[in-house]
């Protein structure tokens, strides 16, 4: 919850499996009153089964345009409501709100699997990603985004992602693009990062 997470890697190298593991872990460690998860799956739809989990508020796939737009509308509204609630309680961040003893605002985790495909399908929503990744942290919204390429997210948004994970990439320049002067590369083993 301390930072947004950006995961890159070539196809079939474990990005979606990593997301599944993260989601299972959140479901195992926290109650739905503590964490709510929202997912946009523009990948292989492997995250769709999570729709039945109590922690998951919704899963939208790339083909469900109206559902994706509604999800973004809901997140925009939630950010505004949370800002107002924090201001009413005299705290500046969600973390301070929780530390003050309030438990009515669960942490929100917003996941997008395959950002490059998302960007092609929903280009008008790209500004929302920048806003969510920038403003979300203070109100208890964390983003986790996967992509095959380091530059899919764009400079304005990627600056808001403090945690960056690289699995095996086809082009070794992807590591340097993501981490600046990166001299290490993972072996070509799925899941290795």
């Amino acid at each position: 919850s301390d930072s947004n997470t950006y995961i890159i890697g070539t196809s079939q190298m474990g990005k979606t499996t990593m997301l599944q593991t993260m989601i299972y872990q959140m479901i195992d460690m926290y109650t739905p009153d503590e964490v709510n998860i929202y997912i946009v799956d523009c990948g292989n739809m492997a995250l769709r089964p999570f729709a039945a989990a109590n922690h998951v508020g919704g899963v939208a796939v790339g083909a469900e345009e109206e559902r994706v737009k509604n999800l973004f509308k809901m997140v925009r509204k939630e950010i505004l409501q949370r800002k107002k609630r924090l201001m009413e309680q005299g705290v500046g961040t969600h973390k301070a709100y929780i530390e003050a003893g309030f438990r009515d605002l669960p942490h929100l985790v917003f996941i997008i699997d395959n950002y490059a495909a998302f960007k092609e399908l929903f280009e008008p929503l790209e500004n929302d990603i920048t806003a969510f990744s920038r403003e979300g942290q203070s109100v208890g919204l964390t983003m986790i985004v996967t992509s095959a390429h380091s530059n899919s997210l764009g400079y304005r948004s990627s600056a808001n992602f403090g945690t960056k994970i690289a699995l095996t990439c086809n082009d070794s320049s992807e590591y340097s693009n993501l981490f600046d002067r990166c001299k290490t590369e993972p072996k070509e083993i799925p899941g290795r990062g």
Side-chain angles (χ1 to χ4, degrees):
S1 64
D2 288 341
S3 68
N4 298 309
T5 301
Y6 188 37
I7 305 165
I8 67 161
T10 302
S11 181
Q12 300 296 309
M13 284 296 153
K15 296 182 302 294
T16 303
T17 302
M18 181 180 269
L19 287 179
Q20 290 171 323
T21 303
M22 292 167 113
I23 295 168
Y24 279 124
Q25 191 68 29
M26 284 185 268
I27 289 171
D28 186 50
M29 290 181 67
Y30 303 101
T31 68
D33 292 333
E34 296 172 306
V35 174
N36 293 164
I37 304 166
Y38 296 91
I39 303 168
V40 177
D41 188 347
C42 293
N44 60 8
M45 292 191 264
L47 302 178
R48 192 166 200 155
F50 287 106
N54 292 334
H55 295 70
V56 178
V59 177
V61 297
E64 299 173 318
E65 182 178 351
E66 197 60 35
R67 193 173 167 102
V68 171
K69 287 180 180 177
N70 286 337
L71 177 60
F72 272 71
K73 184 178 178 182
M74 189 268 320
V75 171
R76 269 186 243 114
K77 184 177 177 183
E78 184 67 24
I79 288 173
L80 290 174
Q81 289 174 340
R82 283 173 175 242
K83 283 181 179 180
K84 183 179 177 186
R85 180 81 174 130
L86 296 178
M87 196 181 324
E88 288 170 355
Q89 296 304 322
V91 295
T93 66
H94 182 259
K95 187 175 183 177
Y97 185 79
I98 297 298
E99 288 171 355
F102 299 103
R103 299 285 183 255
D104 60 320
L105 294 178
H107 194 86
L108 302 178
V109 179
F110 189 59
I111 297 170
I112 300 177
D113 191 17
N114 193 352
Y115 190 76
F118 170 84
K119 200 159 92 169
E120 284 180 28
L121 294 168
F122 304 103
E123 188 178 347
L125 297 176
E126 205 170 354
N127 287 334
D128 286 325
I129 298 298
T130 303
F132 294 172
S133 64
R134 182 183 61 241
E135 299 170 19
Q137 288 288 281
S138 65
V139 296
L141 170 72
T142 300
M143 295 194 69
I144 303 172
V145 175
T146 70
S147 183
H149 304 288
S150 59
N151 62 357
S152 294
L153 199 53
Y155 178 74
R156 286 187 324 146
S157 293
S158 69
N160 300 322
F161 285 74
T163 303
K164 297 176 181 175
I165 300 170
L167 302 177
T168 302
C169 297
N170 282 338
D171 185 359
S172 61
S173 68
E174 295 288 356
Y175 308 115
S176 294
N177 291 342
L178 193 64
F179 300 115
D180 280 334
R181 297 179 188 102
C182 182
K183 296 179 182 179
T184 317
E185 295 180 17
K187 294 181 181 175
E188 288 193 39
I189 299 171
R192 188 68 55 93

